[in-house]
Amino acid sequence: MVIDDSKTIRRTAETLLKKAGCDVVTATDGFEALAKIADHKPDIIFVDIMMPRLDGYQTCALIKHNQVFRNTPVIMLSSKDGLFDRARGRIVGSEQYLTKPFSKEELLGAIREHVHRD
């Protein structure tokens, strides 16, 4: 799942992931994402930090507080590469932090590292 209020980022990530054989669900913000997570049960969630209404930190915290989804890997996406942002991402439970613009290798690397097929 890719959650970002930027249509360009959503489309870029979706295209890269689909070419790699992934099924992709997108959402424009945390509220839309939370509804879709329950329906689609994604293997991994990429979430932008700076979003209106519910930011990436709040969205990640809500996912991690849900018993069903707390083990779902959450990767934070940000245009800022700050230590504070990385630390805050860790505090809310995210597994990794990618700086935009991200590469195909970074997205697929995160999936390889965090998604474990049984």
Side-chain angles (χ1 to χ4, degrees), residues 1-6 10 26-37 45-56 58-60 63:
M1 172 175 268
V2 179
I3 311 163
D4 201 307
D5 56 324
S6 160
R10 281 197 317 274
T26 62
T28 55
D29 64 32
F31 285 113
E32 184 186 352
L34 293 171
K36 288 185 172 183
I37 287 166
I45 299 166
F46 294 93
V47 61
D48 180 33
I49 290 174
M50 299 298 289
M51 294 186 295
R53 300 203 303 164
L54 202 61
D55 72 21
Q58 294 164 316
T59 303
C60 180
I63 293 164

Side-chain angles (χ1 to χ4, degrees), residues 88-108:
R88 196 167 163 206
R90 286 268 183 247
I91 289 165
V92 293
S94 70
E95 273 68 24
Q96 196 175 335
Y97 185 102
L98 295 180
T99 307
K100 296 189 237 178
F102 45 77
S103 68
K104 178 175 129 184
E105 287 72 30
E106 286 174 311
L107 284 182
L108 297 178

Side-chain angles (χ1 to χ4, degrees), residues 14-78:
E14 184 177 21
T15 304
L16 290 172
L17 293 169
K18 281 190 170 172
K19 278 185 182 163
C22 301
D23 292 326
V24 184
V25 178
T26 62
T28 55
D29 64 32
F31 285 113
E32 184 186 352
L34 293 171
K36 288 185 172 183
I37 287 166
D39 291 340
H40 297 279
K41 298 174 181 55
D43 294 319
I44 189 168
I45 299 166
F46 294 93
V47 61
D48 180 33
I49 290 174
M50 299 298 289
M51 294 186 295
R53 300 203 303 164
L54 202 61
D55 72 21
Y57 298 122
Q58 294 164 316
T59 303
C60 180
L62 287 168
I63 293 164
K64 293 300 184 175
H65 283 110
N66 183 307
Q67 292 291 97
V68 180
F69 301 109
R70 71 169 181 221
N71 293 321
T72 303
V74 176
I75 313 300
M76 307 300 277
L77 302 174
S78 178

